Amino acid sequence: MALITLSGYPCSGKSTRASELVAQLSPLLPPQLKLVTVSDESLNISPSVYDDSRSEKPARGALFTAIQRLMAEDTVLIVDAPNYIKGFRYQIYCAAREMKLRVCTVYVVATPDVCRQRNASRTDGRAYTPETLENLMLRFEEPSSMVRWDSPLFTIPWTDQNIPAGDIAQAVTSGSVKPPNSGTLSALKAPSDALHVLEQTSIAMVSAIMDAQVATQGSGGLVTLPLSPSLQVKITLPARNLTLSELQRLKRQFVTVHKKAITLGTTEKGAVDWGEESVANKFVTYLEENMKP
């Protein structure tokens, strides 16, 4: 349904705002929707992972995996985490688009001094070291309403007593749903037996054409090729005898071209159909376009 990404300095009040969102959005959303919050704390990710990049990277990967797992059409997912890197926010945005979810960003603003005071006074064991806190604030990349992955953007200063719950509810229930980015779509793959079907069907076609020429005595025209008890295809042959070597050469060319399409997935606007009938019809088209009169 929707994804709400929180962003802000460490100890800026993101978790407090996330709790307020859950409380205030619940009566504003349709009853069939679930409100779910995922956070570093809920995933048992310690603040100490941000002490160095080697531990931070897998922790961020674990968070992203959890986000993907919790995304659903009946869920409004709140991501309560630092989300201080714009590249990571973009990654979350792309995942949401792929799931056809609405998105918005809540920027929780607090001054560095306020964040330092809150971090120093924490007694829950989730305080950052002073060095890590300063480093994270220095590296923080502020959300911007000018970029699509942060929009719509709701900015909430630490001095505000209330959150714009009504506007956020409207964004997650009636905001625009961006279509998936074509770069994130998985390429459709041909079935595992596609190469076998391609080879055997084209061989059967060559054999059937040779038999048809014997029956028509090389007069050409429209003929029906019986490839199997359940499959017959029509092809227009030239008014001459096609040699076996000529047909085999065309068959090799056809197979070579389509092997590449099978290996890469498809070259035909997302349509992958490598059944016997489809391959036979493709080969008919190829032959009719390449056979000399």
Side-chain angles (χ1 to χ4, degrees):
M1 175 63 182
L3 176 77
I4 301 174
T5 303
L6 271 64
S7 183
Y9 283 161
C11 299
S12 59
K14 295 185 296 299
S15 295
T16 299
R17 297 302 189 183
S19 298
E20 292 173 354
L21 279 171
V22 171
Q24 297 186 35
L25 286 181
S26 293
L28 301 177
L29 298 178
Q32 67 272 21
L33 292 182
K34 298 184 295 184
L35 264 170
V36 177
T37 300
V38 61
S39 65
D40 282 356
E41 187 171 3
S42 70
L43 298 174
N44 294 315
I45 296 174
S46 169
S48 63
V49 302
Y50 296 98
D51 291 347
D52 65 82
S53 59
R54 286 177 298 179
S55 58
E56 179 183 345
K57 187 173 181 179
R60 197 160 54 239
L63 174 63
F64 183 68
T65 299
I67 291 170
Q68 289 181 299
R69 185 177 65 251
L70 293 169
M71 285 179 178
E73 292 183 359
D74 64 345
T75 301
V76 175
L77 180 61
I78 300 172
V79 183
D80 173 21
N83 301 322
Y84 69 95
I85 301 172
K86 64 182 178 182
F88 185 61
R89 296 198 299 271
Y90 177 70
Q91 187 179 9
I92 298 173
Y93 165 79
C94 288
R97 283 184 62 174
E98 196 167 348
M99 290 288 292
K100 299 182 179 179
L101 305 183
R102 295 180 175 88
V103 298
C104 74
T105 302
V106 175
Y107 179 20
V108 182
V109 179
T111 65
D113 284 342
V114 167
C115 294
R116 294 184 187 105
Q117 292 170 8
R118 288 177 176 174
N119 186 63
S121 63
R122 295 194 78 149
T123 58
D124 57 359
R126 297 196 60 81
Y128 298 89
T129 65
E131 295 79 9
T132 297
L133 180 67
E134 295 298 328
N135 184 39
L136 289 175
M137 289 193 294
L138 182 65
R139 294 164 57 196
F140 181 76
E141 295 176 312
E142 184 176 332
S144 170
S145 60
M146 301 299 291
V147 297
R148 60 189 182 279
W149 57 88
D150 288 333
S151 299
L153 176 65
F154 300 93
T155 302
I156 308 176
W158 82 101
T159 53
D160 283 9
Q161 298 298 314
N162 300 310
I163 62 174
D167 293 337
I168 294 173
Q170 184 175 5
V172 299
T173 56
S174 59
S176 61
V177 178
K178 303 295 184 182
N181 190 322
S182 60
T184 67
L185 293 176
S186 299
L188 296 171
K189 298 298 182 182
S192 58
D193 64 343
L195 288 173
H196 176 76
V197 173
L198 175 66
E199 185 71 30
Q200 294 304 312
T201 302
S202 56
I203 289 174
M205 287 275 293
V206 169
S207 178
I209 290 172
M210 295 300 293
D211 292 342
Q213 287 191 136
V214 173
T216 61
Q217 299 182 346
S219 60
L222 184 65
V223 298
T224 299
L225 306 177
L227 299 184
S228 70
S230 59
L231 177 59
Q232 295 183 338
V233 296
K234 297 182 182 296
I235 185 172
T236 301
L237 299 176
R240 66 178 180 86
N241 275 319
L242 295 164
T243 65
L244 179 59
S245 61
E246 181 181 358
L247 286 172
Q248 288 179 331
R249 176 178 56 81
L250 292 171
K251 175 254 181 189
R252 286 194 300 270
Q253 293 172 350
F254 171 79
V255 169
T256 299
V257 169
H258 288 81
K259 269 185 178 179
K260 184 179 296 185
I262 290 173
T263 303
L264 297 178
T266 181
T267 57
E268 300 181 357
K269 300 179 181 179
V272 177
D273 183 359
W274 297 105
E276 183 183 12
E277 183 176 1
S278 176
V279 170
N281 289 329
K282 292 175 192 290
F283 195 23
V284 166
T285 301
Y286 185 84
L287 289 174
E288 290 180 343
E289 290 177 351
N290 291 278
M291 289 185 300
K292 295 179 180 179

